[in-house]
Amino acid sequence: MPPLDDVLLVTLPVLLAAFVLLDRHLVRACSLFVLFALAVALTWWKLGFLWLAMLETLLGAALTGGFLFHALGVGLAGRAPTARLAHARDPVPLIWRRGLVHLLPVLALLGMLAAALGSLPASDGSLAARWSGLVLIGLGLWAFALHTHLLRRLLAFNITGTGIFLLLMSLVGKTAPAAGQGLVITGLVVALLGTALGALLVRRLGALVPSREPASASDGQAS
Amino acid sequence: MSQAWLPLITLATSLLVAPLILLLPERAWRARAALNLSAALLKLLLVGLMVVGLYQGREFAFGFTVVPGVEFLLRVDALGMMFAGLSSLLWLATTVYAIGYLEDSPNRKRFFAFFSLCVASTIGISLAGNLFTFLLFYELLTLSTYPLVVHRGHPAGLAAGTVYLRYTLSGGLVLLLGVVGLHALVGDVTFGEREMLRDLDPSYHPLLIGLFLVMLLGLGVKAALVPLHGWLPRAMVAPAPVSALLHAVAVVKAGAFGIVRLVYDVYGIQLTFELGLLTVLTVLSVFTILYGSIRALAQQELKPRLAYSTISQVSYIVLGISLFGPFGTIAGLAHLMHQGLMKVTLFYCAGNYAEELGIHRIDELDGAGRRMPLTSLAFTVGALGMIGLPPVAGFISKWYLGLGAVQAGMPWVIGVLVASSLLNAAYFLPILHRLWFRAGPAHGKGQWPEERCLGRFETSGWLLWPSLATALFSLLAGLLAGLPFSPLDLATLVATEEYLP
Amino acid sequence: MIERLGLVTTQLPTTGSSVMALLVVVLPLLLGVLGAACRPKRGWPAVLASLLALLPLLTLTPLVVSQGTQAWVLELDGLTLHWRANGLTLLLLLLTQLLVLASAAYAPAYLRVAVQAQGRGPAWLWPLMGLLAASLSLIWLAADLLTLYIGLELMGLSAVGLMLLPGREDALAAGMRYLLLALIGSLAFLLGLALLLGAWGRLDLAGLAEAVEAGPVLWVAMALLSAGLLLKAAAFPLHAWLAPVHGSAWTPVSALHAALVIKASFFIALQLWLVFAPQAAVAAWVVGGMGAAAVVWGGLLAWRADKLKDVVAWSTVSQLGYLLIGFPLLIGTAPAVASIAWDGVWLQLLAHSLAKAAMFLAVGNLMLATGESRVSGLAGASRRFPLALLSFGIAAISLVGLPPSAGFTAKWLLLHAALAAGQWPWLLVLAVGTLLSAAYVFRVFRYSFVEDVELEDYRPVPLRMDLIALILALASLLLGLAATWPLALLEIAGGGP
């Protein structure tokens, strides 16, 4: 029976991620994402990767969050135009049947991953991180395939990425920490840059097409 | 060292003229004409040098490796020299003709640039020393003739260009597959190294037959063997010098020449005979000869009639090489030259009629002999040669074809020859009759469709002199067939090489 | 095969020239910094800066030619990065620098004529281009997965950034889609890396090649890595993002993207397959099948495309199919076959890069001159813009694979390899691809030869822009007969000279 704080640290990001991905109110979702990033930073700290915890706080929570809010037009002082906030809600409702259909490929991928991981033994401490990583990957991919709102896709991408980082560090934590950290740091920077680019784009697109819903790309067949 | 570079320089004369022409401004037609003509003359001189060198037994070869196992090789041999001589001679004539024909028309710069490229490709084809190099220039020919076919840019021309490309590019692709297949089997085959295939184990023979047929399919498109001939009559919409060149030397001959190379220099006549492939060629060519002639009979316009006549006449070459024996070979190769000279004359004349009098249909030709006597004379010489009357060159071809048929033990071919000659007469003699013996506008009856007085003579001198020159050459090739350097003499040289090892 | 990639564990790393290797990567960045600082209005400063980036190559080349593969190990706080340079690396580096040089020389004139300083876009062009060149150099040099990952991500992001520069709505929408797909591709790649690192605890390719053993971990990892890379390379079922992205991008950017960015993903994928699964013939056939589908489908779409740039972009999808056919010819085949296919694949890559860059530049010139982006808008172009059309034509010869172009020589080698391996289907695919490419290329020509159109207003483009396209096109043409030179460079693979 693992200690309670371990369980909490592993389940907290997963829960937060689920809330982030299911919330149609985008400002709330972004705020939850910042919380999620902080929770992940805590997990890193608990796993003993101090550097990663700091970077996650800085890059994941602060900067990524900042860019996400920028995309929504929410400034530091919160003096955002209300019209924009009205848009800050995904107009596409969640249809459960669609959600279930999109779950199938994700489950297939997770099954593949699990089959591969089955042959890699895990130490006790990393098992929990591995599972939460897998769940985050699944959740993120599912949401990425499901949502058409660009910002929600960015959120989903970030959560998938975090899941992969967790999985990666749970796999290599002891054997090759330097290489693993190198990959994760690169990944964090890439995720930040990608999110930043995406956020700026969402903003620009919104400014260019004021009449249409700023960030809908339903014509795009991206999945 | 000059010997290795001679083929390269010959190729370069027309290859380098193309960019030079592109650099000249569109208006500078004098400079362009001077450039074209001097390059054509230079090339004729160089080819002459190589022919003389060849008779003296010198070797000219230039080569380098492209990728390991594949060589780019230019080499001079008697067969290639026949083709090179023909193309450089006709290039000169056609250049003169084209300068006159295209006077004051747009896009002349583009025309002459691609025209030079086209001739460079035919020279490359004739100098190619192996299948790879041959293929290279064979495809380059397709590319360089397309802009010439669509030159006028009207819908009919564009449609003809599309059809032309469909046929020739598919043909080139099929040829490529065959050549690569042969390369994968035995490596680089230098022309003349017949032992490479002959010494293969008989178990490879079915494969060899397959590859031969594939390559024949590729080459047959350009040689316009029935049923691969569909592009040729449509390409008639091209300007007259282009049609003349396409039919006499460039495209059609490239295909026929390729078949000759394939039979004599890659497989060797002996192996081709043993594999039973000569019979395939005979049947194909006989069918094409008769089919082309019959279709020619049905044409009401001058150029399409000449086009179908080409389809028929080019197959004489294939027929000649398919007759096993030196006489057949001589006939096929000599006809390669003879047909070029005669057909180019006919096309020049057709162009003259169209330019001077606006005549396109045969029934408009009544009495044109009076209005344009010299052109009509040239036309008559060409037509009689096509029928095979002595002393024009065509007679020599048919005579040797007959001898070859007897030698190969296929006397029924003579029947085909007779039938085809009758058909030739049936579609050419009415034209001659109209030209000389029917009263027409020149006799004060009716009027020409669109008369323009282009020059001091019956038409512009640029148009007239080339027609007369080639007509004269077709006469001389027949009259002086026994002299050295005549087409017949060169053909005999090749045949001796082939049959007397 | 692994020796051909220059991945050898036994060789002692040479340290003397590691500065050179770093310079190869860093100097392109200098181009970016200088460009951003000066915003060159003329071509020559940009050309000078890109020429500077060629200098370290000039010292590196004789070193590799005389001593064989060079390898470097960079220690970074517990991390070891492995770099290497062999003949192939040099070839790709040279290609990259030359194309960047061409784009850099083209860009100032293009920006002046076509963009007219709208927005902040032009300022970002130079740093992003420098970053792109640097990340590409990093990819060619990398001999470990971490460096590859860094290079791939930098390349992807700078490519997305470059595509977004026009700032118009269609560019942004297409760019957003590209960004999301690129990010997904990176995630798949990272997940694959995670599995490899977790299972065998190292990231250097040469070491991994010895360590890996077949099993579910390897297969899943390879599937993930390949999926990510093929997505970025616009391989067949994952290609839909390509044409919209190119449709609105700036011409020099399109040229760089189609010529290099896509190739980099292909290069990494092929390298990983050769290292980790050199005998996986069945899986390679699957990739080859995707390539075949790409050849046909891309060709059909290019044929049907309405816009000029779409024709060129779809043709990239089709041509990449040829490269993917290299997989079944290289993997699990006899050494003799693989050796021919090896030459064929890289020659095809070179040929296509040069020809496609030339074609994009030529098409850009034509669009600029006619003010039309549709194929039918080219009517009469052959008289008015002969130079641009000539460049297009010469590049097209190489794309179709007609002699004497490099595309032809490459196709010859691929056909030969397919015949030697007895893999008949690829013959058919190459044949169909040739016909299709001829169809879409000559469709463009057909319109350009139309004569009876009125002289509308058109503006000639600066001669320099035409000349750059022409030079690239000629390079792809002449490389066909001069193929021995790059192929000889390819031979420098293993330890000794």
Side-chain angles (χ1 to χ4, degrees):
Chain A
M1 188 69 192
L4 186 67
D5 52 344
D6 262 13
V7 175
L8 201 65
L9 269 181
V10 165
T11 45
L12 190 63
V14 173
L15 275 177
L16 281 172
F19 282 128
V20 170
L21 294 175
L22 288 173
D23 200 336
R24 277 172 65 196
H25 193 290
L26 294 178
V27 178
R28 205 159 57 206
C30 288
S31 319
L32 281 172
F33 178 79
V34 175
L35 278 183
F36 163 78
L38 290 174
V40 174
L42 266 180
T43 315
W44 287 133
W45 178 64
K46 188 77 180 50
L47 288 173
F49 302 114
L50 207 57
W51 262 103
L52 288 184
M54 279 166 63
L55 278 172
E56 177 74 41
T57 318
L58 181 68
L59 301 180
L63 289 174
T64 307
F67 277 113
L68 288 174
F69 284 123
H70 175 75
L72 284 171
V74 179
L76 271 181
R79 280 177 295 122
T82 44
R84 196 156 276 291
L85 276 176
H87 279 297
R89 192 180 157 78
D90 189 359
V92 184
L94 178 62
I95 302 161
W96 282 104
R97 215 173 64 199
R98 247 187 107 222
L100 285 178
V101 170
H102 280 92
L103 201 56
L104 292 178
V106 174
L107 284 178
L109 180 79
L110 285 181
M112 238 168 68
L113 271 179
L117 290 174
S119 59
L120 298 178
S123 55
D124 276 352
S126 67
L127 197 62
R130 180 187 286 193
W131 278 109
S132 76
L134 267 180
V135 174
L136 284 179
I137 293 173
L139 261 178
L141 284 178
W142 174 70
F144 193 92
L146 187 66
H147 299 322
T148 49
H149 196 287
L150 293 178
L151 200 68
R152 296 187 83 179
R153 286 193 147 177
L154 281 181
L155 286 173
F157 157 74
N158 271 300
I159 284 170
T160 317
T162 311
I164 293 177
F165 301 151
L166 277 174
L167 182 67
L168 173 65
M169 289 319 284
S170 78
L171 281 173
V172 302
K174 301 291 179 286
T175 48
Q181 290 200 18
L183 280 176
V184 171
I185 291 171
T186 317
L188 273 172
V189 174
V190 168
L192 172 67
L193 288 176
T195 313
L197 254 176
L200 292 175
L201 262 175
V202 169
R203 187 81 190 262
R204 284 288 291 281
L205 273 173
L208 278 173
V209 211
S211 54
R212 286 223 311 262
E213 173 58 31
S216 88
S218 48
D219 57 326
Q221 181 52 263
S223 48
Chain B
M1 283 317 285
S2 71
Q3 297 195 339
W5 292 97
L6 201 53
L8 195 64
I9 295 172
T10 317
L11 184 66
T13 43
S14 40
L15 201 60
L16 294 183
V17 165
L20 283 180
I21 290 176
L22 280 180
L23 287 179
L24 285 175
E26 178 80 35
R27 280 170 291 109
W29 76 272
R30 279 172 206 284
R32 196 163 48 229
L35 189 65
N36 265 318
L37 288 176
S38 48
L41 282 170
L42 179 65
K43 162 126 69 192
L44 201 57
L45 186 78
L46 290 170
V47 171
L49 274 180
M50 287 193 289
V51 172
V52 172
L54 190 71
Y55 268 84
Q56 292 169 350
R58 274 189 280 168
E59 288 269 325
F60 301 96
F62 167 83
F64 61 88
T65 308
V66 177
V67 287
V70 180
E71 209 188 355
F72 177 91
L73 181 65
L74 296 176
R75 213 169 51 112
V76 172
D77 62 0
L79 186 58
M81 271 309 100
M82 290 177 65
F83 193 51
L86 180 74
S87 70
S88 49
L89 185 67
L90 295 190
W91 186 30
L92 180 59
T94 312
T95 306
V96 175
Y97 189 87
I99 291 172
Y101 188 88
L102 290 175
E103 213 163 12
D104 300 328
S105 74
N107 296 326
R108 271 178 295 169
K109 182 166 93 170
R110 186 182 79 199
F111 179 87
F112 280 106
F114 282 103
F115 193 69
S116 302
L117 268 186
C118 170
V119 176
S121 334
T122 53
I123 287 290
I125 286 174
S126 63
L127 291 174
N130 57 19
L131 271 176
F132 176 80
T133 319
F134 178 84
L135 182 73
L136 214 78
F137 289 107
Y138 189 80
E139 292 281 300
L140 197 62
L141 183 63
T142 307
L143 288 179
S144 53
T145 41
Y146 173 74
L148 299 179
V149 172
V150 299
H151 179 72
R152 290 216 176 104
H154 47 54
L158 290 171
T162 309
V163 173
Y164 175 68
L165 274 184
R166 261 184 221 153
Y167 273 90
T168 46
L169 283 180
S170 319
L173 181 67
V174 172
L175 181 65
L176 170 67
L177 291 179
V179 171
V180 174
L182 200 64
H183 186 86
L185 191 64
V186 292
D188 231 4
V189 183
T190 307
F191 288 150
E193 285 183 352
R194 296 176 276 266
E195 63 280 359
M196 287 181 79
L197 294 185
R198 197 178 57 214
D199 299 345
L200 274 184
D201 192 73
S203 64
Y204 283 110
H205 281 180
L207 190 60
L208 281 181
I209 293 178
L211 284 173
F212 186 93
L213 291 179
V214 167
M215 285 187 270
L216 183 65
L217 192 68
L219 293 164
V221 170
K222 279 214 172 112
L225 292 178
V226 175
L228 309 170
H229 65 286
W231 60 272
L232 188 61
R234 293 196 207 197
M236 277 304 94
V237 294
V242 176
S243 317
L245 202 70
L246 290 191
H247 285 257
V249 259
V251 179
V252 180
K253 281 301 162 54
F257 183 74
I259 296 176
V260 173
R261 281 286 195 207
L262 187 63
V263 172
Y264 289 131
D265 287 338
V266 179
Y267 276 66
I269 188 86
Q270 191 69 38
L271 181 66
T272 321
F273 179 65
E274 282 164 13
L275 296 177
L277 292 165
L278 285 183
T279 324
V280 177
L281 283 178
T282 315
V283 171
L284 254 179
S285 57
V286 162
F287 184 68
T288 309
I289 288 171
L290 295 177
Y291 178 84
S293 298
I294 291 169
R295 287 297 302 269
L297 263 181
Q299 303 304 315
Q300 298 304 316
E301 293 192 25
L302 194 52
K303 277 178 91 179
R305 181 169 287 191
L306 292 178
Y308 277 105
S309 154
T310 304
I311 294 175
S312 155
Q313 292 279 338
V314 167
S315 275
Y316 280 133
I317 303 168
V318 183
L319 178 64
I321 55 179
S322 76
L323 298 172
F324 185 70
F327 283 123
T329 307
I330 293 173
L333 298 182
H335 197 60
L336 190 83
M337 308 273 284
H338 294 157
Q339 192 267 347
L341 288 169
M342 298 183 297
K343 189 46 68 73
V344 91
T345 313
L346 291 174
F347 270 106
Y348 289 159
C349 295
N352 289 359
Y353 291 131
E355 281 297 287
E356 177 74 19
L357 304 174
I359 291 175
H360 297 283
R361 296 176 56 82
I362 290 165
D363 53 16
E364 293 163 345
L365 275 171
D366 289 353
R370 181 152 171 181
R371 169 68 173 77
M372 300 174 70
L374 289 174
T375 303
S376 303
L377 194 67
F379 191 90
T380 310
V381 168
L384 293 180
M386 283 290 170
I387 300 169
L389 289 184
V392 190
F395 166 69
I396 308 279
S397 318
K398 288 203 177 161
W399 177 257
Y400 274 90
L401 271 178
L403 288 179
V406 174
Q407 195 177 40
M410 292 196 260
W412 57 273
V413 170
I414 296 183
V416 175
L417 285 176
V418 171
S420 145
S421 294
L422 287 178
L423 284 168
N424 290 347
Y427 62 78
F428 273 127
L429 287 182
I431 302 180
L432 298 185
H433 175 73
R434 280 180 188 276
L435 278 179
W436 298 111
F437 303 112
R438 292 274 282 263
H443 306 77
K445 189 177 149 200
Q447 59 175 359
W448 302 114
E450 191 190 344
E451 186 169 4
R452 300 194 291 163
C453 292
L454 290 171
R456 266 191 304 138
F457 310 100
E458 56 188 60
T459 180
S460 157
W462 292 99
L463 300 180
L464 185 61
W465 300 126
S467 330
L468 290 178
T470 49
L472 187 67
F473 277 124
S474 355
L475 258 181
L476 289 181
L479 280 173
L480 309 176
L483 293 187
F485 302 114
S486 76
L488 186 66
D489 191 51
L490 272 171
T492 317
L493 187 72
V494 177
T496 340
E497 265 179 23
E498 179 69 28
Y499 287 95
L500 301 174
Chain C
M1 271 302 129
I2 187 164
E3 302 78 31
R4 286 176 180 274
L5 286 165
L7 301 168
V8 270
T9 38
T10 50
Q11 195 183 6
L12 283 176
T14 47
T15 46
S17 56
S18 71
V19 182
M20 279 304 146
L22 279 173
L23 277 181
V24 169
V25 175
V26 171
L27 277 182
L29 289 174
L30 191 67
L31 164 74
V33 174
L34 283 179
C38 321
R39 309 272 302 267
K41 292 277 179 289
R42 296 172 171 282
W44 61 264
V47 171
L48 278 185
S50 344
L51 276 179
L52 202 63
L54 269 172
L55 283 181
L57 272 188
L58 288 186
T59 51
L60 198 57
T61 310
L63 207 64
V64 172
V65 169
S66 59
Q67 299 175 13
T69 304
Q70 302 285 306
W72 303 279
V73 177
L74 284 80
E75 296 281 347
L76 262 177
D77 189 27
L79 263 179
T80 42
L81 299 181
H82 298 257
W83 293 11
R84 58 89 173 73
N86 68 344
L88 176 62
T89 317
L90 279 183
L91 209 56
L92 293 170
L93 280 173
L94 213 56
L95 178 75
T96 310
Q97 303 291 10
L98 285 180
L99 286 175
V100 169
L101 174 68
S103 289
Y106 183 91
Y110 179 82
L111 291 181
R112 199 173 57 236
V113 177
V115 184
Q116 282 132 8
Q118 43 160 273
R120 282 163 300 172
W124 281 99
L125 175 71
W126 299 103
L128 284 174
M129 211 152 98
L131 194 61
L132 187 70
S135 55
L136 282 166
S137 306
L138 200 59
I139 290 174
W140 310 137
L141 285 168
D144 71 297
L145 288 169
L146 179 57
T147 315
L148 271 181
Y149 179 60
I150 296 173
L152 186 71
E153 294 312 322
L154 277 181
M155 179 193 78
L157 287 172
S158 51
V160 172
L162 281 169
M163 288 296 188
L164 293 173
L165 288 180
R168 290 195 314 271
E169 189 200 342
D170 49 349
L172 295 185
M176 186 75 204
R177 213 165 128 195
Y178 180 31
L179 173 69
L180 288 174
L181 285 180
L183 289 178
I184 284 294
S186 331
L187 289 184
F189 190 80
L190 184 62
L191 196 51
L193 286 195
L195 288 181
L196 286 178
L197 184 63
W200 292 287
R202 57 194 306 174
L203 285 174
D204 61 312
L205 287 171
L208 268 176
E210 287 175 359
V212 291
E213 48 212 53
V217 180
L218 184 63
W219 293 122
V220 172
M222 278 309 285
L224 286 168
L225 289 170
S226 314
L229 288 167
L230 292 179
L231 177 67
K232 289 186 177 222
F236 170 60
L238 313 169
H239 62 279
W241 55 270
L242 188 71
V245 164
H246 277 296
S248 44
W250 283 341
T251 304
V253 172
S254 279
L256 276 184
H257 189 272
L260 295 171
V261 173
I262 292 205
K263 305 298 172 11
S265 304
F266 165 78
F267 169 80
I268 300 175
L270 184 60
Q271 177 165 272
L272 294 183
W273 276 70
L274 291 175
V275 169
F276 295 131
Q279 295 303 326
V282 178
W285 270 77
V286 173
V287 178
M290 283 164 63
V295 167
V296 175
W297 185 241
L300 283 176
L301 284 175
W303 192 18
R304 286 277 149 248
D306 191 35
K307 289 187 181 156
L308 264 174
K309 271 197 138 181
D310 285 356
V311 173
V312 189
W314 288 123
S315 121
T316 306
V317 173
S318 170
Q319 295 277 322
L320 192 83
Y322 287 158
L323 291 177
L324 292 183
I325 286 175
F327 276 85
L329 293 175
L330 281 169
I331 289 162
T333 48
V337 175
S339 136
I340 302 172
W342 179 260
D343 287 354
V345 164
W346 298 119
L347 197 60
Q348 166 70 21
L349 190 145
L350 287 183
H352 178 248
S353 292
L354 288 170
K356 191 45 68 71
M359 195 175 244
F360 260 123
L361 295 186
V363 158
N365 290 345
L366 283 171
M367 281 166 52
L368 213 55
T370 54
E372 275 270 3
S373 60
R374 296 148 60 86
V375 179
S376 53
L378 276 185
S382 79
R383 191 190 306 187
R384 275 158 234 154
F385 323 109
L387 213 52
L389 204 66
L390 187 71
S391 321
F392 182 87
I394 296 174
I397 290 176
S398 192
L399 281 193
V400 179
L402 293 173
S405 66
F408 168 75
T409 315
K411 196 167 69 183
W412 172 284
L413 288 168
L414 288 177
L415 282 173
H416 190 173
L419 265 179
Q423 300 184 1
W424 297 92
W426 311 134
L427 288 186
L428 191 71
V429 172
L430 287 168
V432 171
T434 305
L435 290 182
L436 276 174
S437 47
Y440 63 71
V441 160
F442 280 101
R443 182 166 153 264
V444 174
F445 275 109
R446 195 190 141 101
Y447 281 108
S448 73
F449 277 114
V450 169
E451 282 288 324
D452 47 356
V453 280
E454 291 176 17
L455 286 156
E456 289 158 31
D457 69 318
Y458 59 90
R459 46 180 178 173
V461 293
L463 183 65
R464 171 210 306 277
M465 291 163 71
D466 272 336
L467 281 184
I468 293 168
L470 186 64
I471 289 170
L472 284 180
L474 281 176
S476 81
L477 185 76
L478 297 180
L479 197 61
L481 287 182
T484 35
W485 178 77
L487 294 187
L489 205 52
L490 275 183
E491 292 299 309
I492 310 168

